[in-house]
Amino acid sequence: RTRHGRRGHGQNGCHSRHQHGYHSRQRNRHQPNMEAEADEPDEQTADLTSSMKKKRSYSKCRDCIARVQRFLVTRLGEDWIFLVLLGITMALVSWTMDYASAKSLQAYKWIYGELRGNIPLQYLAWVSYPLIFILFSSLFCHLVAPQAIGSGIPELKTILRGVVLKEYLTLKAFVAKVIGLTAALGSGMPVGKEGPFVHIASICAAVLSRFMSCFSGAYQNPYCYTDILTVGCAVGVGCCFGTPLGGVLFSIEVTSTYFAVRNYWRGYFAATFSAFIFRVLSVFNKDAVTITALFRTNFRMDFPFDLQELPAFAIIGISCGFLGAFFVYLNRQVVLFMRRPNAMTRFLTKHRLIFPAVVTLVIATLTFPPGFGQFMAGELMPRECINSLFDNFTWTKISGSPPPGGLGLSAAWLHPDVSVFLVLLLFLIMKFWMSAVATTMPIPSGAFMPVFILGAAFGRLVGEIMATLFPHGIVFDGILYRIIPGGYAVIGAAALTGAVTHTVSTAVICFELTGQISHILPMMVAVILANMVAQGLQPSLYDSIIQVKKLPYLPELGFGHMSQYNIFVEDIMVRKVKFISSQSTYREVQLLLDSSSLSSIPLVDSKDSMILLGSIDRLELLALCDWWVSPERRLLMQVRTVRDCTIIIKAWEEAEMDKPMEIDEIRVDPSPFQLVERTSLHKTHTLFSLLGLSHAYVTSIGKLVGVVALKELQKAIEGSTRSGVRLRPPLASFRDIINHNSVPKPPPSSPTAVSSSTSSPSARTASHNLTLLPPATPPQVPSSFTPSSSNLRPLQRLLEGEEDSDDEPMV
């Protein structure tokens, strides 16, 4: 029993050991699973923790950036940051372009100098070097952005009027303009930097405004956008020559009809900062010892000019007025000739590089120094011409004798066999047509610097003539003062640029460029006289380009012409207005959209009342008509159609198009700009210029009676101010029905006035079918009203109750 019991115990022990081993194995087998299951939530919590940490760190960084942004905006202000960025960027761009073009011109002169003694190779190098640069500039701009061709100021003037020109303010145009202009300036051709650089600065301002809109939504406002472009124009002129004062004034005169005074400090701050950085970079590059004027002169300050020289300064101003008008005329004729449809222009349009290649070849050949260029200082580059024309030497005294030691570049104007007067005259004549033609090439080019050089040459010519007439100088108070021809050159440069651009601020630019204010009084006299002559003969160069390119523009009104007060909106408005009413069907709206290209269409109450309710944008109406007969709406209307059964669909569309339009489904502008019939041409021009309007509706007691657009206003202004003839429009004689028999009329001054007075009475009735009824109480007569002129309406009409056009409130 014991053995059995032991055996049984052994068996039981063996069984227990087996069970223990089995359970331990099972426990060991399940342990990694349990550990894995336990590790999974640990990993999940770790991932959640790490993600939370990342989110917290990201949110902390974002909060830190937001705090820095708020600090900068509150402490410095968004305007200051934007203006500083704009000034630094444009200073760097201007200095880089000047540096690259200067190195290119140095290489040009070096290649020419190394080939001295071999005339054929010299000619080949002299011609091929600018040819390569001009062709590269033209081809690069044509491939990258054709909008970069030309000056850019006419287009900016149009954009600031409220007209949208596509692709003119993009980064692509910026790159094309900068690279193309640098290549053109490095070629040595008579092209300028100022006009294209205004375009470059405006593009930079527009791109920066889009960047600043990430921090503040104020820069997305269209009114703020106009202010930004105005500041960009000021910076462009200011940092182009380092002339902030004249740059701001010049940009205002050239681009703005009406200037917002709130942008004055912005323009001055950005232009001054940019000009300062531009000159500091020149000092760092060892181009200048300190911050000085770009073309510094050393005229005497104690007695810069005598009163006896003022007639000579006046002659310079009047002559520059005629020369400036002729330059604008010549430039426009070249452009019109190139746009004339004939076989040659079609060939040149197809092969775009031939015209700039021919112009560059002709100019480089004529300025070749060993050839004809020796008689017109052809070896001098544009900036070298200005520095030599502004020097203190009197060339007529040193001509024919050994040149003095400090003559420098001015020795190119002295020829041993030709007089100085002939050299200056040849330079003036040849460079005149060369500059007028070169500025029409399809490259980024301005006309300010070439015209500036021409004016300096003409002033220098007059100065040398004065030095010859007064060889010993002018005696004043017992002291003998000699004539300074360089001062005449400065005055001529300011007068001719002012005549071409129709600006007065060129005088300020000139004294900033030269660093001396001693000649500012005769300079202002010459510039004003030049403007007076040029404005009576031709438009400015920029307005001429606007007219040639057929860009939307508004001509200026002549000062003091009574015709601008005698002509009213009812005389020039379009009476057959295309409109839609609240009862118009979709078919009528579709026909109106197909038959016209109006951007906005007036909405009236009904065809009988013609009460103006507002205006609707064209895109809104197009979208509504497309949706009304679209398949999506047909499905929503649950129209049962059989597949490929177009007859049912067509019938449904026809039925839907005959339904009246749902005005509630579209956005209506409830307050389009409106004028009354008696608004004068002068007031209309002022409103269109100030607000940048493209059209305005004409109403009478709330009824739509006509519309006047920019085209009608332009025709009226040009018809009333061209060639000094003041013509009354055809309806002007019929506007006063009541007083036709009672008030005697002045005799007609033109055949148009006579013919208009004998027109049919039907037009007379049509123009006054909406006359206001006289009020019960007649208005009081203003105390300042004096019926002194026959053109003014007599006092009787005021007592009868008719309201004056300039006193009527604008809706």
Side-chain angles (χ1 to χ4, degrees), residues 599-642:
S599 59
S600 62
I601 299 172
L603 173 66
V604 299
D605 185 25
S606 64
K607 295 180 181 179
D608 298 328
S609 65
M610 291 297 292
I611 300 297
L612 183 64
L613 300 179
S615 65
I616 305 175
D617 192 72
R618 180 186 184 85
L619 298 177
E620 292 280 340
L621 293 174
L622 286 172
L624 180 63
C625 292
D626 292 341
W627 160 253
W628 193 251
V629 291
S630 63
E632 293 84 1
R633 184 176 174 274
R634 191 170 65 244
L635 293 175
L636 291 176
M637 298 292 292
Q638 297 179 355
V639 178
R640 296 182 180 180
T641 59
V642 186

Tab-separated table of all heavy atoms in Angstrom, residues 599-642:
chain	number	residue	atom	x	y	z
A	599	SER	N	-20.075	97.192	-69.590
A	599	SER	CA	-19.629	96.524	-68.363
A	599	SER	C	-20.701	96.533	-67.291
A	599	SER	O	-20.752	95.635	-66.457
A	599	SER	CB	-18.362	97.196	-67.837
A	599	SER	OG	-18.600	98.568	-67.572
A	600	SER	N	-21.556	97.551	-67.284
A	600	SER	CA	-22.675	97.609	-66.351
A	600	SER	C	-23.882	98.182	-67.087
A	600	SER	O	-23.732	99.052	-67.951
A	600	SER	CB	-22.335	98.466	-65.134
A	600	SER	OG	-22.080	99.797	-65.518
A	601	ILE	N	-25.059	97.683	-66.735
A	601	ILE	CA	-26.288	98.045	-67.444
A	601	ILE	C	-27.245	98.673	-66.443
A	601	ILE	O	-27.448	98.125	-65.342
A	601	ILE	CB	-26.914	96.805	-68.102
A	601	ILE	CG1	-25.923	96.233	-69.114
A	601	ILE	CG2	-28.234	97.147	-68.773
A	601	ILE	CD1	-26.326	94.912	-69.687
A	602	PRO	N	-27.837	99.825	-66.779
A	602	PRO	CA	-28.762	100.463	-65.838
A	602	PRO	C	-30.062	99.679	-65.688
A	602	PRO	O	-30.555	99.066	-66.642
A	602	PRO	CB	-28.998	101.846	-66.457
A	602	PRO	CG	-28.718	101.661	-67.910
A	602	PRO	CD	-27.651	100.622	-67.996
A	603	LEU	N	-30.616	99.723	-64.497
A	603	LEU	CA	-31.883	99.066	-64.181
A	603	LEU	C	-32.906	100.143	-63.855
A	603	LEU	O	-32.682	100.979	-62.968
A	603	LEU	CB	-31.705	98.116	-62.988
A	603	LEU	CG	-32.974	97.476	-62.431
A	603	LEU	CD1	-33.593	96.525	-63.447
A	603	LEU	CD2	-32.674	96.750	-61.127
A	604	VAL	N	-34.027	100.142	-64.581
A	604	VAL	CA	-35.088	101.125	-64.351
A	604	VAL	C	-36.332	100.411	-63.829
A	604	VAL	O	-36.464	99.174	-63.939
A	604	VAL	CB	-35.420	101.918	-65.640
A	604	VAL	CG1	-34.206	102.681	-66.123
A	604	VAL	CG2	-35.926	100.978	-66.730
A	605	ASP	N	-37.247	101.203	-63.279
A	605	ASP	CA	-38.461	100.640	-62.704
A	605	ASP	C	-39.361	100.053	-63.797
A	605	ASP	O	-39.815	98.913	-63.700
A	605	ASP	CB	-39.195	101.724	-61.914
A	605	ASP	CG	-40.404	101.170	-61.190
A	605	ASP	OD1	-40.387	99.958	-60.907
A	605	ASP	OD2	-41.345	101.932	-60.913
A	606	SER	N	-39.610	100.842	-64.810
A	606	SER	CA	-40.404	100.370	-65.935
A	606	SER	C	-40.052	101.222	-67.151
A	606	SER	O	-39.437	102.288	-67.032
A	606	SER	CB	-41.908	100.463	-65.626
A	606	SER	OG	-42.289	101.816	-65.452
A	607	LYS	N	-40.482	100.752	-68.322
A	607	LYS	CA	-40.178	101.493	-69.545
A	607	LYS	C	-40.944	102.805	-69.617
A	607	LYS	O	-40.529	103.718	-70.327
A	607	LYS	CB	-40.524	100.627	-70.759
A	607	LYS	CG	-39.677	99.384	-70.872
A	607	LYS	CD	-40.057	98.563	-72.093
A	607	LYS	CE	-39.210	97.302	-72.197
A	607	LYS	NZ	-39.562	96.470	-73.359
A	608	ASP	N	-42.046	102.890	-68.921
A	608	ASP	CA	-42.840	104.119	-68.948
A	608	ASP	C	-42.301	105.160	-67.973
A	608	ASP	O	-42.123	106.332	-68.317
A	608	ASP	CB	-44.298	103.799	-68.620
A	608	ASP	CG	-44.920	102.863	-69.645
A	608	ASP	OD1	-44.510	102.953	-70.830
A	608	ASP	OD2	-45.780	102.054	-69.262
A	609	SER	N	-42.018	104.748	-66.737
A	609	SER	CA	-41.552	105.718	-65.736
A	609	SER	C	-40.078	106.045	-65.884
A	609	SER	O	-39.661	107.176	-65.636
A	609	SER	CB	-41.817	105.171	-64.335
A	609	SER	OG	-41.031	104.001	-64.099
A	610	MET	N	-39.242	105.068	-66.265
A	610	MET	CA	-37.790	105.240	-66.449
A	610	MET	C	-37.095	105.716	-65.168
A	610	MET	O	-36.085	106.419	-65.223
A	610	MET	CB	-37.494	106.216	-67.593
A	610	MET	CG	-37.855	105.690	-68.966
A	610	MET	SD	-36.907	104.238	-69.443
A	610	MET	CE	-35.283	104.950	-69.630
A	611	ILE	N	-37.647	105.368	-64.019
A	611	ILE	CA	-37.006	105.723	-62.751
A	611	ILE	C	-35.784	104.823	-62.565
A	611	ILE	O	-35.888	103.591	-62.599
A	611	ILE	CB	-37.984	105.563	-61.571
A	611	ILE	CG1	-39.199	106.475	-61.760
A	611	ILE	CG2	-37.289	105.862	-60.258
A	611	ILE	CD1	-38.875	107.944	-61.762
A	612	LEU	N	-34.627	105.410	-62.364
A	612	LEU	CA	-33.386	104.649	-62.232
A	612	LEU	C	-33.324	103.992	-60.853
A	612	LEU	O	-33.361	104.669	-59.826
A	612	LEU	CB	-32.177	105.563	-62.441
A	612	LEU	CG	-30.809	104.889	-62.396
A	612	LEU	CD1	-30.666	103.882	-63.540
A	612	LEU	CD2	-29.697	105.933	-62.473
A	613	LEU	N	-33.244	102.660	-60.849
A	613	LEU	CA	-33.140	101.915	-59.590
A	613	LEU	C	-31.712	101.563	-59.233
A	613	LEU	O	-31.402	101.358	-58.066
A	613	LEU	CB	-33.963	100.618	-59.691
A	613	LEU	CG	-35.456	100.772	-59.969
A	613	LEU	CD1	-36.108	99.405	-60.053
A	613	LEU	CD2	-36.115	101.627	-58.898
A	614	GLY	N	-30.858	101.469	-60.207
A	614	GLY	CA	-29.465	101.107	-59.951
A	614	GLY	C	-28.826	100.588	-61.222
A	614	GLY	O	-29.320	100.814	-62.339
A	615	SER	N	-27.721	99.886	-61.071
A	615	SER	CA	-27.029	99.286	-62.210
A	615	SER	C	-26.608	97.873	-61.834
A	615	SER	O	-26.386	97.566	-60.660
A	615	SER	CB	-25.807	100.108	-62.617
A	615	SER	OG	-24.835	100.092	-61.585
A	616	ILE	N	-26.525	97.020	-62.851
A	616	ILE	CA	-26.189	95.612	-62.657
A	616	ILE	C	-24.939	95.314	-63.472
A	616	ILE	O	-24.827	95.710	-64.639
A	616	ILE	CB	-27.345	94.688	-63.089
A	616	ILE	CG1	-28.636	95.076	-62.358
A	616	ILE	CG2	-27.002	93.234	-62.813
A	616	ILE	CD1	-29.843	94.286	-62.814
A	617	ASP	N	-24.013	94.605	-62.860
A	617	ASP	CA	-22.782	94.239	-63.551
A	617	ASP	C	-23.074	93.222	-64.645
A	617	ASP	O	-23.957	92.373	-64.513
A	617	ASP	CB	-21.777	93.678	-62.551
A	617	ASP	CG	-20.397	93.560	-63.158
A	617	ASP	OD1	-19.745	94.597	-63.378
A	617	ASP	OD2	-19.963	92.420	-63.413
A	618	ARG	N	-22.335	93.285	-65.713
A	618	ARG	CA	-22.554	92.399	-66.854
A	618	ARG	C	-22.347	90.932	-66.474
A	618	ARG	O	-23.097	90.052	-66.907
A	618	ARG	CB	-21.597	92.803	-67.991
A	618	ARG	CG	-21.733	91.952	-69.244
A	618	ARG	CD	-20.669	92.306	-70.269
A	618	ARG	NE	-20.854	91.559	-71.491
A	618	ARG	CZ	-21.657	91.914	-72.491
A	618	ARG	NH1	-22.342	93.036	-72.405
A	618	ARG	NH2	-21.772	91.176	-73.576
A	619	LEU	N	-21.328	90.659	-65.668
A	619	LEU	CA	-21.051	89.282	-65.275
A	619	LEU	C	-22.201	88.679	-64.476
A	619	LEU	O	-22.482	87.485	-64.577
A	619	LEU	CB	-19.752	89.226	-64.466
A	619	LEU	CG	-18.488	89.671	-65.200
A	619	LEU	CD1	-17.286	89.636	-64.274
A	619	LEU	CD2	-18.246	88.779	-66.421
A	620	GLU	N	-22.863	89.504	-63.671
A	620	GLU	CA	-24.006	89.017	-62.905
A	620	GLU	C	-25.130	88.565	-63.835
A	620	GLU	O	-25.741	87.505	-63.644
A	620	GLU	CB	-24.516	90.126	-61.977
A	620	GLU	CG	-23.572	90.486	-60.854
A	620	GLU	CD	-23.660	89.501	-59.713
A	620	GLU	OE1	-24.676	88.800	-59.621
A	620	GLU	OE2	-22.707	89.421	-58.920
A	621	LEU	N	-25.405	89.365	-64.854
A	621	LEU	CA	-26.472	89.012	-65.793
A	621	LEU	C	-26.110	87.788	-66.619
A	621	LEU	O	-26.965	86.927	-66.884
A	621	LEU	CB	-26.768	90.198	-66.717
A	621	LEU	CG	-27.378	91.432	-66.041
A	621	LEU	CD1	-27.480	92.579	-67.032
A	621	LEU	CD2	-28.755	91.110	-65.466
A	622	LEU	N	-24.854	87.677	-67.026
A	622	LEU	CA	-24.435	86.493	-67.781
A	622	LEU	C	-24.583	85.232	-66.939
A	622	LEU	O	-25.070	84.193	-67.424
A	622	LEU	CB	-22.983	86.661	-68.240
A	622	LEU	CG	-22.736	87.640	-69.387
A	622	LEU	CD1	-21.246	87.847	-69.598
A	622	LEU	CD2	-23.378	87.124	-70.677
A	623	ALA	N	-24.148	85.315	-65.676
A	623	ALA	CA	-24.276	84.148	-64.799
A	623	ALA	C	-25.735	83.779	-64.567
A	623	ALA	O	-26.091	82.587	-64.547
A	623	ALA	CB	-23.569	84.429	-63.465
A	624	LEU	N	-26.608	84.779	-64.423
A	624	LEU	CA	-28.023	84.501	-64.192
A	624	LEU	C	-28.669	83.848	-65.414
A	624	LEU	O	-29.426	82.873	-65.288
A	624	LEU	CB	-28.745	85.800	-63.847
A	624	LEU	CG	-30.254	85.677	-63.580
A	624	LEU	CD1	-30.521	84.801	-62.373
A	624	LEU	CD2	-30.878	87.051	-63.391
A	625	CYS	N	-28.373	84.356	-66.609
A	625	CYS	CA	-28.954	83.773	-67.827
A	625	CYS	C	-28.448	82.347	-68.057
A	625	CYS	O	-29.219	81.469	-68.499
A	625	CYS	CB	-28.632	84.651	-69.029
A	625	CYS	SG	-29.463	86.254	-69.006
A	626	ASP	N	-27.186	82.098	-67.772
A	626	ASP	CA	-26.652	80.743	-67.930
A	626	ASP	C	-27.298	79.775	-66.948
A	626	ASP	O	-27.594	78.627	-67.286
A	626	ASP	CB	-25.131	80.757	-67.750
A	626	ASP	CG	-24.433	81.487	-68.875
A	626	ASP	OD1	-25.057	81.652	-69.948
A	626	ASP	OD2	-23.276	81.918	-68.691
A	627	TRP	N	-27.499	80.221	-65.707
A	627	TRP	CA	-28.096	79.346	-64.708
A	627	TRP	C	-29.577	79.093	-64.990
A	627	TRP	O	-30.087	78.006	-64.715
A	627	TRP	CB	-27.910	79.967	-63.326
A	627	TRP	CG	-28.865	79.427	-62.290
A	627	TRP	CD1	-29.934	80.048	-61.737
A	627	TRP	CD2	-28.810	78.124	-61.688
A	627	TRP	NE1	-30.562	79.239	-60.834
A	627	TRP	CE2	-29.898	78.033	-60.781
A	627	TRP	CE3	-27.981	77.026	-61.838
A	627	TRP	CZ2	-30.151	76.920	-60.034
A	627	TRP	CZ3	-28.225	75.897	-61.082
A	627	TRP	CH2	-29.294	75.834	-60.196
A	628	TRP	N	-30.262	80.047	-65.577
A	628	TRP	CA	-31.715	79.929	-65.743
A	628	TRP	C	-32.096	78.781	-66.678
A	628	TRP	O	-33.143	78.143	-66.501
A	628	TRP	CB	-32.273	81.249	-66.259
A	628	TRP	CG	-33.757	81.345	-66.181
A	628	TRP	CD1	-34.640	81.323	-67.220
A	628	TRP	CD2	-34.553	81.470	-65.001
A	628	TRP	NE1	-35.927	81.425	-66.774
A	628	TRP	CE2	-35.909	81.516	-65.385
A	628	TRP	CE3	-34.256	81.539	-63.650
A	628	TRP	CZ2	-36.949	81.636	-64.492
A	628	TRP	CZ3	-35.293	81.660	-62.750
A	628	TRP	CH2	-36.622	81.705	-63.165
A	629	VAL	N	-31.269	78.509	-67.673
A	629	VAL	CA	-31.575	77.419	-68.612
A	629	VAL	C	-30.528	76.311	-68.532
A	629	VAL	O	-30.332	75.556	-69.490
A	629	VAL	CB	-31.665	77.964	-70.056
A	629	VAL	CG1	-32.877	78.847	-70.223
A	629	VAL	CG2	-30.402	78.715	-70.435
A	630	SER	N	-29.864	76.195	-67.418
A	630	SER	CA	-28.815	75.192	-67.260
A	630	SER	C	-29.429	73.831	-66.958
A	630	SER	O	-30.555	73.729	-66.446
A	630	SER	CB	-27.871	75.594	-66.143
A	630	SER	OG	-28.564	75.651	-64.913
A	631	PRO	N	-28.722	72.736	-67.264
A	631	PRO	CA	-29.233	71.392	-66.917
A	631	PRO	C	-29.422	71.196	-65.416
A	631	PRO	O	-30.324	70.466	-65.004
A	631	PRO	CB	-28.150	70.457	-67.470
A	631	PRO	CG	-27.455	71.253	-68.512
A	631	PRO	CD	-27.504	72.665	-68.063
A	632	GLU	N	-28.596	71.816	-64.592
A	632	GLU	CA	-28.747	71.675	-63.144
A	632	GLU	C	-30.086	72.222	-62.679
A	632	GLU	O	-30.783	71.585	-61.873
A	632	GLU	CB	-27.604	72.388	-62.424
A	632	GLU	CG	-26.236	71.762	-62.628
A	632	GLU	CD	-25.599	72.227	-63.906
A	632	GLU	OE1	-26.242	73.056	-64.613
A	632	GLU	OE2	-24.480	71.773	-64.224
A	633	ARG	N	-30.465	73.392	-63.186
A	633	ARG	CA	-31.753	73.948	-62.781
A	633	ARG	C	-32.900	73.112	-63.356
A	633	ARG	O	-33.969	72.975	-62.736
A	633	ARG	CB	-31.864	75.393	-63.256
A	633	ARG	CG	-33.152	76.070	-62.788
A	633	ARG	CD	-33.193	77.538	-63.184
A	633	ARG	NE	-34.487	78.111	-62.840
A	633	ARG	CZ	-35.558	78.053	-63.631
A	633	ARG	NH1	-35.473	77.456	-64.820
A	633	ARG	NH2	-36.707	78.583	-63.240
A	634	ARG	N	-32.702	72.549	-64.539
A	634	ARG	CA	-33.741	71.715	-65.113
A	634	ARG	C	-33.994	70.483	-64.258
A	634	ARG	O	-35.142	70.045	-64.080
A	634	ARG	CB	-33.340	71.310	-66.533
A	634	ARG	CG	-34.469	70.656	-67.312
A	634	ARG	CD	-34.121	70.490	-68.765
A	634	ARG	NE	-33.015	69.574	-68.969
A	634	ARG	CZ	-31.846	69.897	-69.481
A	634	ARG	NH1	-31.619	71.145	-69.849
A	634	ARG	NH2	-30.894	69.019	-69.636
A	635	LEU	N	-32.932	69.914	-63.688
A	635	LEU	CA	-33.101	68.779	-62.789
A	635	LEU	C	-33.791	69.198	-61.503
A	635	LEU	O	-34.603	68.452	-60.944
A	635	LEU	CB	-31.737	68.146	-62.479
A	635	LEU	CG	-31.036	67.455	-63.661
A	635	LEU	CD1	-29.656	66.993	-63.243
A	635	LEU	CD2	-31.874	66.283	-64.161
A	636	LEU	N	-33.430	70.395	-61.016
A	636	LEU	CA	-34.085	70.875	-59.802
A	636	LEU	C	-35.565	71.140	-60.027
A	636	LEU	O	-36.397	70.949	-59.133
A	636	LEU	CB	-33.402	72.160	-59.307
A	636	LEU	CG	-31.987	71.999	-58.749
A	636	LEU	CD1	-31.397	73.355	-58.402
A	636	LEU	CD2	-31.999	71.112	-57.506
A	637	MET	N	-35.913	71.579	-61.221
A	637	MET	CA	-37.321	71.818	-61.538
A	637	MET	C	-38.079	70.529	-61.825
A	637	MET	O	-39.296	70.558	-62.051
A	637	MET	CB	-37.434	72.751	-62.757
A	637	MET	CG	-36.833	74.130	-62.543
A	637	MET	SD	-37.760	75.093	-61.349
A	637	MET	CE	-39.260	75.363	-62.253
A	638	GLN	N	-37.343	69.382	-61.875
A	638	GLN	CA	-37.937	68.067	-62.089
A	638	GLN	C	-38.724	68.024	-63.390
A	638	GLN	O	-39.883	67.594	-63.466
A	638	GLN	CB	-38.831	67.666	-60.917
A	638	GLN	CG	-38.095	67.531	-59.613
A	638	GLN	CD	-39.009	67.145	-58.464
A	638	GLN	OE1	-40.222	67.061	-58.647
A	638	GLN	NE2	-38.432	66.906	-57.294
A	639	VAL	N	-38.058	68.512	-64.436
A	639	VAL	CA	-38.663	68.450	-65.766
A	639	VAL	C	-38.426	67.060	-66.339
A	639	VAL	O	-37.276	66.619	-66.464
A	639	VAL	CB	-38.066	69.539	-66.685
A	639	VAL	CG1	-38.680	69.436	-68.081
A	639	VAL	CG2	-38.317	70.900	-66.089
A	640	ARG	N	-39.494	66.349	-66.676
A	640	ARG	CA	-39.388	64.999	-67.201
A	640	ARG	C	-38.982	65.057	-68.667
A	640	ARG	O	-39.685	65.633	-69.499
A	640	ARG	CB	-40.718	64.265	-67.065
A	640	ARG	CG	-41.140	64.048	-65.605
A	640	ARG	CD	-42.439	63.276	-65.553
A	640	ARG	NE	-42.853	63.069	-64.160
A	640	ARG	CZ	-43.956	62.414	-63.813
A	640	ARG	NH1	-44.755	61.908	-64.757
A	640	ARG	NH2	-44.259	62.265	-62.534
A	641	THR	N	-37.820	64.491	-68.936
A	641	THR	CA	-37.320	64.484	-70.306
A	641	THR	C	-36.932	63.073	-70.700
A	641	THR	O	-36.415	62.294	-69.893
A	641	THR	CB	-36.085	65.400	-70.449
A	641	THR	OG1	-35.090	64.934	-69.545
A	641	THR	CG2	-36.441	66.826	-70.130
A	642	VAL	N	-37.198	62.762	-71.922
A	642	VAL	CA	-36.775	61.482	-72.462
A	642	VAL	C	-35.373	61.648	-73.030
A	642	VAL	O	-35.010	62.714	-73.512
A	642	VAL	CB	-37.766	61.014	-73.555
A	642	VAL	CG1	-37.419	59.603	-74.046
A	642	VAL	CG2	-39.190	61.049	-73.021
